[in-house]
């Protein structure tokens, strides 16, 4: 039995770090799989807990030179009377599975706990303290989200200081170096051009902002790994060393004090550090959506305990607690309404902008906002089980799961560093032994004061090799895919579309056939009253009233549909005096001396009902529409026809039409008979029907379509249609409440709106397009930059890319990839662009609509929705 | 048992490091010979020796461990 855990990591600088960490973890005994997401700076590890624990995983990461960020909280533990008590608390905590470290401060009565959130919750930690005989109090420390945010801010702060320092030192170095050019000498003192001064200014740059590259290189080499730090360290180190040699030994033959190379080292660091600063700034923004979701969690809840309303931290709410939420307050956990009526804004979870009415028996979702009335509800899901926690986990997992395209990019980036060093070696050897003699014709480096005539062939060749090293850093390749997936999955969550990973996104954009399950997906999945045809003598309303009174005692779904239909039309109902069900035929009832019959033709004939013939054409018409029609007779005379059918969901027709507009073939899959299926398909606008398919054959039907070369997306109920959803290239599960974790499929639609399929497909197309753009630019940059840096065009144009310019290109490439990804944040589903502004609250999922609002029936003009 | 494993690991590490240094030294020596034939200046030759040594060490540091590991795996079945 394996376990999964997510560890946040600091210190990754490029895609090769991803390879390094994954390799280190995979080599750790007991680790089954490790997948690092460079953009979110997290690794998901699947491991065998009997062989390895989280502590050892963290050690493996820190041994590789990276810093695992621990989940930590600080709690009060009241009641400790002696240091011995502190020992007891510590022992109780350390004995709790998932607790990694416990540090008790006896004098402050606090305990700092490091824990694995995938194994233990804060509530369980508090319980361990409580069970040890002490009273745990509110969390006084920061949450893990706060720590992650703090870590990110720290990184931004650090790079801000480094960037400012780099430029503050680089500008005078540049002025000193270029003093003879562009009239800079008019305002620059002569002493600034002295090589010793330039050396003095460059050295703090090397040991300050530049040190991170050397430290990273050292850590990597210590463990036998190479990463982008090595490229930068080799480049800047070589430039600085040449500068020092030229300063101390001007006659050594490397160009003398005129070509000190200090500006090369300084500008390299300045550009690279600026790149890291911008990267840190933009990288955080791609994962903004998930942080926003985490921030939605309520901090406290008002619950009823011993008849009193008390406010407690949300982690202290347990299943079964009665929670009170006033208008304007946040609903703290998931539950079922036991008292009250209100409209709730669920937009943050489902993306539905219209508030949803909540009444007794309805589900409420934690983190949504209660708008109008007071609600009392019973907590059904708390902690990790809430819909919000499940959504966050699902998105985190999705962002860590690597699609094929990313695995390939990471592999390429991992081997790239080695290839670049080989290339740099060949560049040096070529120019040293062949190129210089054959092609050298003077000229200059771009963005450099170094005249090529003033340097020796050896220095010329080394500088070209340095430029190759600097320009080829694969940061942009490493960021291209994960940053787009993070932005895409995060954006999906905003609209209630939960995408379970990059692979799902990758496949979804190729889908050309959509198969929609009928019952529960296109339709509501329960019969509703659709038509009432009445004889002139009785009238539609009276016919429906009598039919509903007769069915009131029935538990048959068709009978319940008739009663609901009458209720929704505000028809007052009383109980029948006598009721008898005749299985397979209908019912017989008596109400205030009137004999009521409701059922099949056979029942009517057997009971000798008169004037049936007049109603038979209506009955046949309704049956031809796929509805279940029942004859009504009152006192032995036919009085009407009542039709019941599974009705379409509100947006089914629009969704199908939008999908067809996207160029997809839409098919309907159902176990129903062909006539009923055709009737529904006609209404919704589907031509291709797969009818009379047994539930167990649904997956085979998908397989059959796939064998025809189609890329199939199956849309169905996440729990009942699981095999078909799994078989499909993309399984899209329509959310059925708050149990998101149980849903099968690759994409989950939180709300029951089929139009979200369109949003999911649009988003997948946009995200994949973004990934392809990013990878294209990242590779094109390297494909064009490396030959230029190696001097391929030098024989034609006597100008070379200087190491400084290479650093500028390199910094720009990763920032431009991230900025391109950020454009995804502007994604708006086509649906939102055409949606009209809504004023009325949306009805609850199964709530009846008032009489006469919708018209799905020509006969009565007020179908049950 | 674990002591033996540590010793083997240490031996392997020394062996790998020795291999890096040998490859780098051989590359630098070959460079020195070639530079001599070409008639390069003394300073350029020294610079080249350092540069070739550094890059050869980095390349062999990345290439050698997996190669040696593969060889070890094959030899131990």
């Amino acid at each position: 039995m394996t376990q999964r855990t997510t560890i946040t990591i600091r210190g990754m600088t490029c895609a090769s770090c991803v390879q390094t960490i994954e390799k280190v973890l995979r080599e750790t005994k007991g680790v089954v799989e490790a997948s690092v997401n460079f953009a979110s700076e997290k690794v998901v590890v699947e491991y065998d807990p009997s062989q390895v624990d989280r502590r050892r995983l963290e050690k493996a990461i820190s041994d590789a030179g990276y810093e695992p960020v621990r989940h930590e909280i600080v709690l009060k533990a009241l009641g400790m009377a002696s240091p011995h008590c502190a020992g007891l608390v510590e022992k109780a905590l350390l004995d709790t599975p998932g607790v990694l470290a416990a540090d008790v401060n006896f004098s402050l009565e606090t305990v700092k706990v490091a824990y694995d959130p995938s194994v233990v919750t804060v509530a369980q930690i508090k319980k361990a303290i409580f069970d040890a005989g002490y009273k745990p109090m509110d969390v006084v420390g920061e949450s893990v989200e706060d720590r992650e945010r703090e870590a990110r801010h720290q990184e931004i702060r650090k790079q801000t200081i480094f960037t400012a320092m780099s430029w503050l030192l680089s500008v005078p170095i540049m002025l000193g170096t270029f003093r003879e050019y562009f009239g800079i000498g008019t305002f620059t003192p002569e002493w600034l051009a002295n090589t010793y001064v330039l050396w003095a200014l460059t050295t703090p740059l090397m040991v300050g902002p530049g040190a991170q590259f050397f430290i990273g290189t050292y850590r990597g080499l210590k463990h036998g790994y190479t990463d982008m730090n090595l490229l930068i360290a080799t480049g800047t180190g070589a430039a600085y060393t040449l500068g020092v040699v030229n300063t101390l030994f001007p006659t050594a033959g490397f160009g003398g004090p005129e070509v000190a190379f200090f500006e090369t080292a300084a500008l390299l660091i300045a550009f690279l550090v600026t790149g890291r600063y911008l990267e840190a700034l933009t990288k955080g923004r791609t994962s903004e959506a998930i942080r926003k979701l985490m921030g939605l969690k309520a901090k406290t809840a008002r619950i009823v305990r011993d008849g009193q309303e008390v406010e407690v931290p949300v982690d202290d709410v347990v299943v079964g607690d009665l929670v009170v939420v006033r208008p304007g307050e946040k609903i703290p956990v998931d539950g079922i309404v036991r008292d009250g009526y209100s409209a709730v804004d669920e937009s943050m979870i489902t993306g539905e902008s219209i508030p949803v009415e909540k009444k007794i028996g309805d589900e409420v979702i934690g983190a949504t906002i209660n708008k109008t009335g007071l609600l009392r509800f019973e907590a059904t899901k708390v902690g990790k089980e809430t819909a919000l926690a499940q959504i966050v986990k699902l998105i985190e997992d999705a962002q860590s799961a690597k699609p094929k395209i990313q695995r390939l990019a990471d592999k390429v980036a991992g081997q790239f560093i080695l290839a670049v060093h080989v290339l740099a070696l060949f560049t040096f050897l070529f120019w040293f032994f062949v190129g210089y003699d054959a092609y050298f014709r003077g000229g200059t480096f771009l963005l450099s004061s170094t005249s090529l005539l003033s340097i020796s062939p050896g220095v010329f060749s080394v500088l070209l090799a340095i430029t190759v090293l600097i320009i080829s850093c694969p940061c942009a390749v490493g960021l291209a895919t994960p940053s787009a997936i993070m932005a895409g999955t995060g954006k999906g969550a905003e609209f209630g579309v939960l995408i379970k990973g990059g692979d799902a996104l990758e496949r979804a954009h190729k889908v050309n056939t959509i198969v929609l399950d009928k019952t529960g997906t296109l339709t509501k999945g329960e019969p509703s009253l659709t038509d009432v045809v009445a004889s002139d003598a009785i009238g539609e309303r009276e016919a429906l009233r009598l039919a509903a009174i007769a069915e009131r005692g029935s538990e048959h779904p068709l009978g319940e549909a008739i009663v609901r239909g009458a209720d929704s039309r505000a028809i007052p109902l009383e109980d029948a005096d006598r009721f008898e069900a005749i299985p397979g035929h209908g019912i017989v009832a008596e109400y205030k001396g009137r004999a009521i019959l409701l059922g099949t033709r056979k029942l009517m004939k057997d009971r000798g009902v008169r004037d049936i013939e007049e109603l038979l054409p209506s009955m046949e018409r309704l049956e031809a529409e796929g509805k279940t029609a029942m004859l009504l007779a009152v006192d032995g005379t036919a009085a009407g026809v009542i039709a019941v059918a599974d009705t379409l969901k509100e947006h089914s027709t629009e969704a199908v039409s939008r999908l067809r507009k996207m160029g997809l073939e839409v098919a309907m899959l159902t176990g129903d008979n062909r006539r009923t299926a055709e009737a529904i398909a006609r209404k919704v606008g589907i031509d291709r029907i797969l009818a009379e398919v047994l539930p167990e054959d649904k997956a085979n039907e998908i397989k059959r379509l796939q064998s025809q070369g189609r890329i199939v997306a199956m849309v169905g109920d996440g729990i009942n249609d699981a095999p078909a959803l799994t078989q499909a290239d993309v399984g899209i599960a329509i959310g059925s409440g708050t149990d998101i974790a149980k849903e099968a499929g690759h994409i989950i639609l939180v709300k029951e709106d089929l139009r979200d399929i369109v949003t999911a497909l649009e988003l997948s197309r946009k995200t994949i397009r973004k990934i392809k753009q990013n990878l294209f630019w990242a590779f094109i940059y390297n494909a064009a930059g490396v030959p230029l840096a190696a001097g391929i065009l030098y024989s034609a144009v006597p100008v070379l890319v200087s190491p400084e310019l290479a650093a500028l290109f390199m910094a720009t490439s990763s920032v431009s990839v991230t900025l391109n990804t950020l454009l995804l944040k502007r994604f708006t589903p086509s649906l939102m662009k055409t949606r009209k502004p809504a004023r009325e609250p949306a009805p609850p999922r199964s709530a009846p609509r008032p009489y006469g609002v919708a018209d799905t029936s020509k006969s009565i003009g007020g179908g049950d929705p | 048992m674990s002591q033996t494993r540590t010793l083997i690991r240490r031996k392997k590490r020394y062996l790998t490091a020795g291999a890096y240094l040998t490859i780098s030294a051989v590359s630098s020596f070959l460079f020195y010979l070639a530079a001599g034939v070409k008639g390069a200046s003394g300073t350029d030759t020294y610079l080249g020796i350092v540069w070739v040594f550094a890059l050869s060490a980095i390349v062999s540091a990345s290439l050698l461990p997996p190669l040696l590991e593969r060889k070890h795996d094959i030899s131990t079945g």
Side-chain angles (χ1 to χ4, degrees), chain A residues 27 221 224 226 230 234 238 242 252-254 418 421-422 424-425 428-429 432-433 437 456-459 462 465-466 469, chain B residues 20 30-31 34-35 38 40-41 43-49 51-52 54-56 58-63 65-66 69:
Chain A
E27 282 170 359
L221 288 178
T226 51
L230 177 64
T234 319
L242 276 176
F254 296 144
L418 175 66
H421 276 93
V422 173
L425 188 58
F428 170 75
L429 294 175
F432 190 90
F433 288 111
D437 292 340
S456 67
V459 176
V462 167
I466 291 175
L469 288 177
Chain B
Y20 298 163
L30 288 175
F31 174 82
K38 187 189 174 276
S41 71
T43 43
D44 271 357
T45 307
Y46 295 138
L47 177 68
I49 288 172
W51 191 243
V52 169
L55 289 184
S56 308
I58 290 166
V59 171
S60 52
S62 306
L63 274 179
E69 218 162 85

Side-chain angles (χ1 to χ4, degrees), chain A residues 566-584:
Chain A
D567 276 343
S568 70
R569 286 157 183 80
I571 296 171
L573 299 179
E574 289 171 52
D575 285 333
D577 301 323
R578 194 176 70 84
F579 166 86
E580 188 195 343
I582 301 160

Side-chain angles (χ1 to χ4, degrees), chain A residues 517-852:
Chain A
D517 177 51
K518 183 184 87 71
T519 312
T521 302
L522 275 169
T523 67
K524 287 176 193 150
E526 56 176 26
S528 303
L529 177 72
T530 57
D531 303 78
V532 179
V533 180
S535 66
D536 294 339
I538 193 164
E540 284 166 0
R541 196 173 165 84
E542 181 64 4
L544 179 57
R545 187 176 80 92
L546 292 174
I549 285 171
E551 288 281 12
R552 224 174 161 200
S554 164
E555 285 177 359
H556 194 281
L558 297 180
E560 284 173 353
I562 294 169
V563 175
R564 270 202 315 274
D567 276 343
S568 70
R569 286 157 183 80
I571 296 171
L573 299 179
E574 289 171 52
D575 285 333
D577 301 323
R578 194 176 70 84
F579 166 86
E580 188 195 343
I582 301 160
H585 295 286
I587 53 158
V588 180
E590 212 175 287
Y591 169 67
K592 290 188 176 170
R594 302 178 85 176
I596 307 169
L597 278 179
L598 187 66
T600 59
R601 291 176 183 85
K602 189 170 182 307
L603 177 72
M604 300 296 148
K605 274 182 189 159
D606 289 350
R607 302 283 169 137
V609 172
R610 296 177 297 273
D611 306 332
I612 303 174
E613 293 70 23
E614 285 174 29
L615 293 168
L616 285 181
S618 298
M619 191 170 185
E620 279 157 16
R621 174 180 60 82
L622 292 168
E623 282 174 338
E625 287 171 14
K627 294 169 182 169
T628 306
M630 290 162 277
L631 280 163
L632 172 75
V634 179
D635 296 330
T637 306
V641 182
I642 312 277
V644 165
D646 189 2
T647 50
L648 287 174
K649 282 185 184 166
E650 199 181 353
H651 302 298
S652 297
T653 313
E654 188 191 338
V656 171
S657 138
R658 281 176 183 272
L659 289 169
R660 292 180 65 153
K661 265 189 206 152
M662 287 176 85
L664 302 166
E665 179 164 353
V666 185
M668 187 179 81
L669 185 67
T670 178
D672 276 357
N673 62 64
R674 184 152 285 278
R675 193 172 68 171
T676 309
E678 277 173 355
I680 291 283
R682 232 185 347 264
K683 263 189 192 171
V684 85
I686 293 177
D687 310 320
R688 195 183 172 106
I689 304 155
L690 309 166
E692 292 163 25
V693 181
L694 296 171
E696 57 270 30
D697 287 337
K698 283 184 179 176
N700 289 333
E701 205 61 40
I702 301 289
K703 216 184 273 178
R704 199 173 60 77
L705 286 170
Q706 286 169 323
S707 68
Q708 293 165 9
R710 293 167 187 278
I711 313 288
V712 183
M714 162 80 195
V715 187
D717 179 290
I719 295 160
N720 300 334
D721 297 322
L725 291 176
T726 312
Q727 174 60 43
D729 296 287
V730 180
I732 302 177
I734 302 274
S736 51
T738 55
D739 220 348
I740 288 147
K742 279 190 188 165
E743 305 280 4
H746 310 101
I747 296 175
I748 296 170
L749 309 182
V750 179
K751 61 181 187 289
E752 283 190 276
D753 188 336
L754 285 186
R755 293 174 303 176
D756 285 344
I757 302 168
V758 180
T759 303
L761 296 180
E762 282 174 351
L763 188 61
S764 79
R765 288 180 182 186
K766 275 257 156 75
T767 311
I768 296 296
R769 201 179 308 149
K770 205 50 81 182
I771 290 174
K772 285 183 178 166
Q773 280 170 7
N774 283 352
L775 285 175
F776 174 78
W777 287 116
F779 278 113
I780 271 288
Y781 153 80
N782 274 310
V786 173
L788 278 178
I792 203 165
L793 294 179
Y794 178 69
S795 58
V797 188
V799 170
L800 285 168
V801 177
S802 63
E804 300 92 304
L805 191 62
L808 176 65
F809 283 159
M810 202 218 87
T812 316
S813 74
S814 49
V815 172
S816 61
V817 157
T818 321
L819 286 177
N820 184 40
T821 295
L822 285 177
L823 291 178
L824 254 185
K825 289 167 80 75
R826 285 164 39 189
F827 168 81
T828 314
S830 61
L831 178 69
M832 303 279 277
K833 291 173 191 159
T834 52
R835 190 185 266 183
K836 288 175 198 159
R839 292 196 187 97
E840 296 298 318
R845 283 203 172 106
S846 56
R849 181 167 288 180
Y851 183 67

Side-chain angles (χ1 to χ4, degrees), chain B residues 8-27:
Chain B
I8 291 172
R9 210 178 298 151
R10 197 173 293 166
K11 197 178 150 194
K12 248 168 79 179
R13 206 181 294 161
Y14 286 144
L15 207 86
T16 317
Y20 298 163
L21 293 175
T22 311
I23 290 174
S24 308
V26 169
S27 311

